[in-house]
Amino acid sequence: MKKERVVLQKAYDRFATRFLRPLVAGGDMEVGHPIGPGAIDHFVDAQPSDSSVTAAIWESLRLRIADVYEGTPRWTPGPDEIRLAAALHNLLWGSHPDAAGKRGARREVAEWTEQILAAVGPPATVENAVLRHAVVGRFDELARRDTAVSTWAYRHRFHGRAPPKRLVALPAVRRIRTEVSRVRFHDLPLGEEAEPLLEKFLRKTPLTIAIRPTLPRPAFRWHPEVIDVLQDVSLCRAATYAWVDDWPAIPQVAGAALGALAHARLDPPRLAFVVCFHYNLLLTFAHVSGTETAERLLARPGMGPEAQLFYGTLFSAFQAMDALRAPALPVPDSERAQILQFLGEAAGAEPIEAGRKVVEAAARGMA
Amino acid sequence: MLERVVLNQSRFRTPGVAPDARGVLLGQKGVLLIGTLEGVVRFLRIWSRDASLDDLAQLAIRRVTTPLGGHEMVVEFAAQSSYVLDRASAIARLLGGFAFTGTARHFVKYRDVAAPLGYDVAELLADPGDLALYHDAFQQAYRHEREIPLRELLLRLSPARTEEPQAPETVLVLAKKGIGPSLQGYLYRSGVAAGVSVVDRPARSAFGEGAERLHLFRIEKIPERVLALLRATPGIRVFSPVLDHVAVEVGHRHPVELEGCAGVFDAQKLTLFPGGGAPVEILDEIPPWTPIETLSSIDLRDPGLVPMYSDAGPIDRTAGARITVAVPARLAPSSAPWTKVVATIVPPRQIDWLRKLVYALPPSALQDFQAFLAPDRVVLWNPKGIDAIPLGTFYTAIGSDLFVPAGWTLIPHVDSAVLRRALGDETGMFYFFEIGEADGRPFAVRQSSFVPLSHRSVLPLASQTLVAVDAPAAEPAPPEVLHGPVGTFPLWGVPGKTVPKEGG
């Protein structure tokens, strides 16, 4: 039994040092053996043998949290954060070259990942949500370093591995050319099992969904957990500014999410929050853009039906807001009228009607 | 179009009219139709010569338009009796206007010699607009364009030049700031009974230099020569009060008799009508008058005002001899309650107590208290009161910059301005009279020497500079994934493949 604990602690040290620390602090991250469900119980209670690893994680988390939250939550990863990191590790294992073609093993690891994720509930507090986002929120920025070594006869590819030294020795004499490329997370071959798992994984960190609305997969949707976590003023502000930063892509993404609201079956107060969030987004956007609001508002590569629905909802929200209670757009009257005109022209009649229905449903929640 | 009213007629087509006690048809209102604004002014002028404008209750002057776009003026007022309307009608007729009576919108011609009891309409207009007037020569509907408040009209009228038959009994004199003190001395030397006050003329433009300070004198029984001199002096305007709070420049007359317009002007403000087209002066409050003798020196240096005699006969004035009643100021106990206790002088033996008290004082008190540290005393001054520091000898303020111990007063009881002048009248100085000191010799402290007590309350502190821990300046680079060795059988040797059994 003691021997087993020693083995598990060694595995945890390896996980904390080579995976968890780079995940929050940057650097080279190693994805080795998958993490079994039996190891998790040890992982969530374990501490790294090297205290400098804890200090590095602590410091990086503090900086990451400061980006989105003004409070002072508990800064060390707790059981839920460890589980989420382990789940991400196992998802990444799906792209391991040694796992290619081993269906049985991949299926088994997918089950392990599902078990690990099932043990993670929705964040109980704002601090929990912030901490989860701080630990795994940058998952989409991960990239695998691939190396291609070309000789006069062959071209060797190494996926996420360094080429053997003998292969690249004497490059000038042997005319060896080495190319290093980065494969982004969303281009990694995680396997077909990963797709539903990735969505489950993200649902466990709703703040990440709110702050990264433009993730290519899974597409942004207004889940109840996302709305609940945005009830916090500080997090709502962080998300709003993130949306403003991502602007040219936002109308398309947000419009698609608005279009899917009918399937989300949100209760009226949550629906009301969604509309208020959009109006607040317009306020913040006007505040940031100043007199160029109207031009920036419609700076878009193309106008799909989703974007039209987005503009229609903004238009309807703008008209429906109680002038006495909701804050006015921080722009002059002339500019305000111009914005309304632009929104109306950009949306068109049908999206405005659809947006009006969304806003009316939300108004019942406000009442 | 109109029918004459006959005696004992009780039913009328004109709404809101009824015969009064004399049998004259009367509504609740009277309306005068006068062509122009000048006509209205003339009406007011004539009316106010023999009666008060206050008799015309609910007076409203309106500019109305006809359906064809023509403009006329109407004067509306409450028809309290047919006597009031008789007089108004007579004046309107004199000015080429017409008088009507009614209640709401329909007004029928008021009585004349042809119909002593008045007229009733034969048929009402279908669209009376805001006001429908029925005359035997015409009937017309009007729309209200705007109302001209009587006060605004009176303020816009300039007094016309006229010659006063005699000097008014009381005058108000408005003098520019530079002339005020000289005029005060002149009036005092001339033995003219006058009160003085300083008033602020509000800035007429936001770009101006702010409110202008003026001296205002009220002179009773002004001699003709003084009046003539004042009227001829640039920078001085002399006004003759027509009401307690309204005055017109001497030598001028307002087109309307303002005596009958007491209710039009705000009784809390002083309204002055200057001549020559100058704008009306409205002073925000009627100032309190201070007799000029209390502001002048009590030292009678001018021998010309005092007959100088001695046992040996008149004194030779050229020799520089003079008589004086000047006395040294000194402190005397006072039974008056303590007011404006704003300073304290803490003696050296209480300095330790003061230090202990500084720890307990709230931040606002530390900021409000101003301290002056002398070698043998600490002077604390707080315009809001010094209740927070129960140390030292308390001082009350006379004026803004003279201080006497609480429970004491200065005699003789002269104005603080006189005392200041006796002390040299140096601006920015505080004077403290102390008990037991030589009479009339206060010590002076320059106001700029006071600093907030908070600036004096902490000794220099030694500090230790802490160095911040180096923090990463920017977001760390995103991690890069490298795969570790797994082997041909990737799940072999994986720790925790199975969940351990409970208690195992």
Side-chain angles (χ1 to χ4, degrees):
Chain A
M1 191 64 204
K2 188 180 175 185
K3 186 183 173 188
E4 190 179 348
R5 291 187 70 82
V6 170
V7 171
L8 285 173
Q9 180 62 31
K10 279 180 72 175
Y12 179 73
D13 282 341
R14 194 179 179 95
F15 170 76
T17 310
R18 301 191 182 180
F19 185 84
L20 191 55
R21 180 170 69 175
L23 183 63
V24 295
D28 287 348
M29 167 193 280
E30 182 186 293
V31 176
H33 285 291
I35 298 166
I40 282 294
D41 289 342
H42 177 80
F43 278 22
V44 296
D45 295 327
Q47 289 291 330
S49 304
D50 182 358
S51 62
S52 67
V53 175
T54 308
I57 293 173
W58 186 91
E59 179 64 20
S60 301
L61 279 182
R62 188 175 66 81
L63 292 172
R64 303 230 33 225
I65 288 169
D67 281 347
V68 292
Y69 191 62
E70 58 196 16
T72 52
R74 178 175 53 85
W75 286 328
T76 48
D80 287 342
E81 290 77 39
I82 295 291
R83 285 192 179 98
L84 283 175
L88 179 62
H89 178 277
N90 285 359
L91 279 170
L92 286 169
W93 181 84
S95 69
H96 199 296
D98 289 347
K102 292 170 176 137
R103 286 188 178 179
R106 297 174 72 100
R107 206 163 37 242
E108 191 170 351
V109 171
E111 286 170 9
W112 293 354
T113 309
E114 193 153 5
Q115 284 181 39
I116 292 170
L117 286 175
V120 182
T125 63
V126 171
E127 283 79 10
N128 280 349
V130 171
L131 204 54
R132 289 183 192 185
H133 172 70
V135 171
V136 298
R138 295 178 78 192
F139 78 96
D140 65 313
E141 295 175 16
L142 296 176
R144 190 178 69 186
R145 193 191 303 155
D146 286 2
T147 311
V149 179
S150 305
T151 66
W152 65 274
Y154 295 106
R155 183 176 170 85
H156 306 270
R157 289 189 174 81
F158 299 91
H159 299 301
R161 284 178 170 167
K165 285 184 180 173
R166 58 177 174 74
L167 194 62
V168 292
L170 300 173
V173 176
R174 298 168 58 208
R175 295 184 186 171
I176 290 174
R177 201 169 66 250
T178 305
E179 295 171 27
V180 177
S181 59
R182 299 179 82 249
V183 183
R184 292 173 59 83
F185 177 85
H186 292 291
D187 298 328
L188 287 175
L190 299 178
E192 58 186 16
E193 309 87 359
E195 201 67 35
L197 287 175
L198 186 58
E199 183 167 355
K200 284 181 184 171
F201 165 77
L202 261 181
R203 292 281 289 266
K204 304 297 181 187
T205 172
L207 183 58
T208 304
I209 299 180
I211 286 186
R212 297 276 169 81
T214 52
L215 289 178
R217 60 181 185 182
F220 174 79
R221 290 293 178 268
W222 283 108
H223 302 297
E225 309 91 286
V226 177
I227 296 170
D228 291 347
V229 83
L230 288 183
Q231 303 285 342
D232 181 82
V233 173
S234 170
L235 300 187
C236 186
R237 184 185 304 129
T240 307
Y241 276 99
W243 283 47
V244 170
D245 286 345
D246 289 345
W247 188 260
I250 286 295
Q252 188 73 17
V253 171
L258 284 169
L261 273 181
H263 310 295
R265 293 184 180 171
L266 294 176
D267 51 68
R270 285 194 174 108
L271 188 58
F273 178 86
V274 171
V275 171
C276 289
F277 180 86
H278 282 82
Y279 183 71
N280 184 52
L281 178 67
L282 187 61
L283 287 179
T284 312
F285 189 81
H287 180 72
V288 169
S289 310
T291 54
E292 298 167 1
T293 302
E295 288 81 4
R296 276 200 63 201
L297 196 60
L298 298 184
R300 63 200 184 282
M303 178 71 78
E306 293 87 358
Q308 284 182 322
L309 177 60
F310 172 75
Y311 288 122
T313 307
L314 279 190
F315 180 87
S316 303
F318 189 92
Q319 286 198 319
M321 281 292 157
D322 182 351
L324 295 177
R325 291 173 57 195
L329 284 186
V331 293
D333 283 342
S334 56
E335 176 80 2
R336 209 171 300 155
Q338 199 184 6
I339 290 169
L340 201 60
Q341 186 184 346
F342 273 37
L343 288 175
E345 287 174 0
E350 284 184 23
I352 286 179
E353 183 60 22
R356 191 177 60 76
K357 285 179 182 167
V358 172
V359 173
E360 279 178 359
R364 286 194 284 277
M366 288 186 205
Chain B
M1 296 200 300
L2 294 185
E3 297 171 353
R4 293 188 183 87
V5 174
V6 297
L7 193 62
N8 296 329
Q9 179 177 344
S10 58
R11 301 185 65 179
F12 306 95
R13 291 191 194 85
T14 311
V17 294
D20 71 350
R22 293 196 290 168
V24 177
L25 190 73
L26 201 62
Q28 292 178 12
K29 285 184 187 172
V31 167
L32 306 180
L33 179 68
I34 299 174
T36 61
L37 189 60
E38 288 74 23
V40 174
V41 173
R42 281 199 202 100
F43 168 78
L44 296 174
R45 188 174 180 180
I46 297 170
W47 180 278
S48 61
R49 286 190 82 85
D50 297 321
S52 167
L53 281 181
D54 295 340
D55 292 345
L56 297 177
Q58 301 170 26
L59 180 69
I61 301 165
R62 289 202 177 91
R63 185 176 153 102
V64 293
T65 53
T66 64
L68 294 178
H71 297 288
E72 293 196 84
M73 301 295 299
V74 297
V75 179
E76 279 185 27
F77 53 91
Q80 293 168 329
S81 76
S82 54
Y83 296 104
V84 172
L85 211 50
D86 280 346
R87 183 155 188 271
S89 168
I91 298 172
R93 212 161 38 242
L94 180 69
L95 298 171
F98 307 101
F100 301 85
T101 185
T103 294
R105 291 194 290 178
H106 299 276
F107 289 82
V108 67
K109 185 184 177 188
Y110 187 63
R111 70 169 185 154
D112 57 11
V113 290
L117 298 182
Y119 294 90
D120 188 19
V121 296
E123 189 179 357
L124 293 175
L125 286 175
D127 179 14
D130 293 327
L131 177 72
L133 300 182
Y134 301 90
H135 194 269
D136 48 8
F138 67 92
Q139 53 186 18
Q140 182 73 276
Y142 295 91
R143 293 269 172 206
H144 290 160
E145 188 178 321
R146 72 184 183 98
E147 182 172 345
I148 301 170
L150 177 60
R151 181 174 178 275
E152 187 184 306
L153 181 62
L154 293 178
L155 291 180
R156 279 167 54 186
L157 295 174
S158 293
R161 182 173 284 280
T162 177
E163 276 309 313
E164 294 283 322
Q166 58 183 14
E169 193 164 308
T170 303
V171 293
L172 297 175
V173 179
L174 195 62
K176 298 247 180 193
K177 186 181 176 187
I179 305 174
S182 307
L183 178 59
Q184 178 185 322
Y186 169 74
L187 293 174
Y188 177 66
R189 286 197 303 278
S190 305
V192 177
V196 64
S197 181
V198 174
V199 296
D200 287 327
R201 173 191 281 161
R204 294 205 167 101
S205 162
F207 301 101
E209 294 178 351
E212 183 183 2
R213 183 145 290 185
L214 302 168
H215 281 75
L216 184 64
F217 295 87
R218 183 185 176 89
I219 305 174
E220 309 285 346
K221 296 177 183 164
I222 185 167
E224 290 276 1
R225 59 180 178 83
V226 176
L227 178 62
L229 177 67
L230 295 184
R231 287 183 61 190
T233 307
I236 294 179
R237 282 184 184 272
V238 187
F239 296 89
S240 168
V242 290
L243 291 167
D244 284 347
H245 51 286
V246 180
V248 181
E249 186 165 359
V250 172
H252 294 77
R253 183 177 192 143
H254 197 273
V256 177
E257 296 294 329
L258 298 177
E259 287 91 336
C261 308
V264 176
F265 298 100
D266 189 347
Q268 305 301 320
K269 295 183 177 178
L270 183 60
T271 308
L272 303 176
F273 287 90
V280 178
E281 304 272 3
I282 299 177
L283 306 177
D284 280 342
E285 56 186 27
I286 296 178
W289 304 106
T290 306
I292 55 172
E293 55 270 24
T294 60
L295 298 180
S296 300
S297 170
I298 56 172
D299 189 359
L300 305 177
R301 293 172 188 280
D302 186 355
L305 294 179
V306 183
M308 306 190 102
Y309 289 95
S310 69
D311 295 342
I315 294 173
D316 179 10
R317 292 181 179 182
T318 57
R322 59 175 186 151
I323 189 168
T324 179
V325 295
V327 292
R330 63 184 173 86
L331 289 173
S334 166
S335 59
W338 294 10
T339 56
K340 293 172 71 178
V341 181
V342 292
T344 182
I345 297 179
V346 183
R349 66 177 185 281
Q350 293 184 349
I351 296 294
D352 281 343
W353 298 352
L354 178 62
R355 286 199 192 101
K356 288 175 183 169
L357 200 57
V358 163
Y359 278 109
L361 287 175
S364 58
L366 284 174
Q367 193 60 39
D368 289 343
F369 271 93
Q370 306 282 317
F372 172 79
L373 307 187
D376 59 343
R377 69 193 79 183
V378 174
V379 184
L380 296 173
W381 167 60
N382 182 356
K384 297 177 183 172
I386 51 132
D387 306 340
I389 299 186
L391 297 176
T393 307
F394 296 151
Y395 276 73
T396 57
I398 300 176
S400 60
D401 41 18
L402 299 178
F403 300 90
V404 297
W408 294 73
T409 186
L410 269 180
I411 55 173
H413 295 288
V414 290
D415 192 83
S416 61
V418 179
L419 287 168
R420 280 204 57 88
R421 199 153 46 239
L423 288 164
D425 206 6
E426 189 175 350
T427 54
M429 295 293 280
F430 282 174
Y431 298 97
F432 292 84
F433 290 84
E434 288 188 293
I435 307 168
E437 283 296 314
D439 283 349
R441 290 189 57 194
F443 71 86
V445 177
R446 196 167 290 285
Q447 188 179 353
S448 57
S449 304
F450 282 88
V451 293
L453 183 58
S454 55
H455 294 190
R456 299 283 196 203
S457 56
V458 180
L459 291 170
L461 294 172
S463 63
Q464 180 187 359
T465 306
L466 298 179
V467 180
V469 178
D470 286 342
E475 182 90 346
E480 287 193 333
V481 176
L482 294 173
H483 291 299
V486 170
T488 311
F489 302 101
L491 300 191
W492 280 17
V494 171
K497 275 177 70 175
T498 55
V499 181
K501 289 174 184 172
E502 287 293 325

